[in-house]
Amino acid sequence: MPKLKTRKGVKKRFRITKTGKIKMARSGKSHLLSSKKEGRKRRLKIQGYVTKSSEKTIKTAMPYGR
């Protein structure tokens, strides 16, 4: 049986933790930062986790979990 291919876009955007959760970077911190409050920008630095409903889709796109 051939190897499964990993979706490269998903690989770059998400990381699977040791416990199986999927970490992601928060959106909205690349440009137009002068109009955003300091506290909001600070919160955007913190990594977020993907919801349970989208976990299955991401895990199928990353068959080997890297």
Side-chain angles (χ1 to χ4, degrees), residues 2-65:
K3 290 193 269 186
L4 298 170
K5 290 198 172 187
T6 300
R7 299 281 178 153
K8 297 298 182 171
V10 173
K11 180 182 169 184
K12 292 170 191 173
R13 287 173 175 84
F14 301 101
R15 296 281 178 263
I16 297 178
T17 62
K18 204 170 188 178
T19 57
K21 294 179 184 174
I22 300 175
K23 280 177 97 170
M24 63 174 185
R26 297 197 185 271
S27 61
K29 57 177 179 151
S30 60
H31 63 94
L32 299 175
L33 296 172
S34 59
S35 62
K36 294 172 186 167
K37 303 274 185 192
E38 289 299 319
R40 181 176 167 190
K41 288 190 275 189
R42 207 173 305 122
R43 282 191 304 272
L44 288 174
K45 287 182 197 174
I46 301 167
Q47 295 269 313
Y49 290 98
V50 173
T51 57
K52 291 283 183 188
S53 58
S54 2
E55 268 189 18
K56 187 178 179 186
T57 311
I58 293 168
K59 283 187 177 178
T60 55
M62 293 175 60
Y64 302 106

